[in-house]
């Protein structure tokens, strides 16, 4: 599985940004896909997850109501719509795939990772 993120950049607080992740190499029918972020000096954390089969999503409280994950099953792409961005959202954002389909928050259980894309939110 190869994952390629795009869409990061520098924005101002309150702005919106949409990240994309193109997935190659497998069909993800039973997998879970997600977005994580890692800020300097902090641990990597999940910000959104969705079961590829549809329906079940997960968001931590820190982004709930502001971030939305979606996927296009025909294009094998995953998206993260980020609204009302805050300076504390600044981080490298990664998309990831968990073949178990469990939609876990445990970072180590996600097997495949993209290279990351930088999101910087200025105040």
């Amino acid at each position: 599985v190869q994952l390629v993120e795009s869409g990061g950049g520098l924005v101002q607080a309150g702005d919106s940004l949409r990240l994309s992740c193109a997935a190659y190499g497998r069909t993800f029918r039973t997998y879970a896909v997600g977005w994580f972020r890692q800020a300097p000096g902090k641990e990597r954390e999940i910000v959104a997850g969705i079961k590829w089969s549809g329906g079940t999503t997960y968001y931590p409280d820190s982004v709930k109501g502001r971030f939305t994950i979606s996927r296009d099953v025909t294009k094998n792409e995953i998206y993260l719509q980020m609204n009302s961005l805050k300076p504390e959202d600044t981080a490298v954002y990664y998309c990831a795939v968990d073949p178990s389909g469990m939609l876990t928050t445990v970072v180590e259980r996600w097997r495949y990772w993209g290279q990351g894309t930088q999101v910087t939110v200025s105040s």
Side-chain angles (χ1 to χ4, degrees):
V1 175
Q2 183 183 8
L3 303 172
V4 181
E5 301 102 334
S6 61
L10 171 64
V11 297
Q12 294 187 333
D15 284 352
S16 297
L17 204 58
R18 187 192 194 212
L19 305 182
S20 299
C21 175
Y24 305 95
R26 291 280 173 90
T27 56
F28 298 141
R29 225 171 304 147
T30 60
Y31 292 5
V33 295
W35 287 93
F36 292 72
R37 68 185 179 190
Q38 187 165 21
K42 294 191 176 181
E43 293 186 351
R44 192 170 297 190
E45 61 175 355
I46 189 170
V47 295
I50 187 169
K51 294 196 174 186
W52 191 260
S53 57
T56 305
T57 57
Y58 170 79
Y59 303 95
D61 289 342
S62 57
V63 306
K64 200 173 290 184
R66 299 189 300 122
F67 289 12
T68 303
I69 188 172
S70 60
R71 81 273 183 268
D72 186 322
V73 298
T74 62
K75 296 181 179 179
N76 253 25
E77 292 184 353
I78 308 130
Y79 309 104
L80 183 67
Q81 178 66 42
M82 304 184 292
N83 299 328
S84 303
L85 282 162
K86 305 175 182 180
E88 50 263 44
D89 294 318
T90 295
V92 177
Y93 283 72
Y94 300 88
C95 68
V97 172
D98 172 17
S100 78
M102 296 295 292
L103 197 51
T104 176
T105 59
V106 179
V107 173
E108 292 74 17
R109 293 190 180 174
W110 293 75
R111 187 183 302 177
Y112 303 108
W113 294 86
Q115 81 288 351
T117 185
Q118 177 70 46
V119 172
T120 303
V121 185
S122 64
S123 56

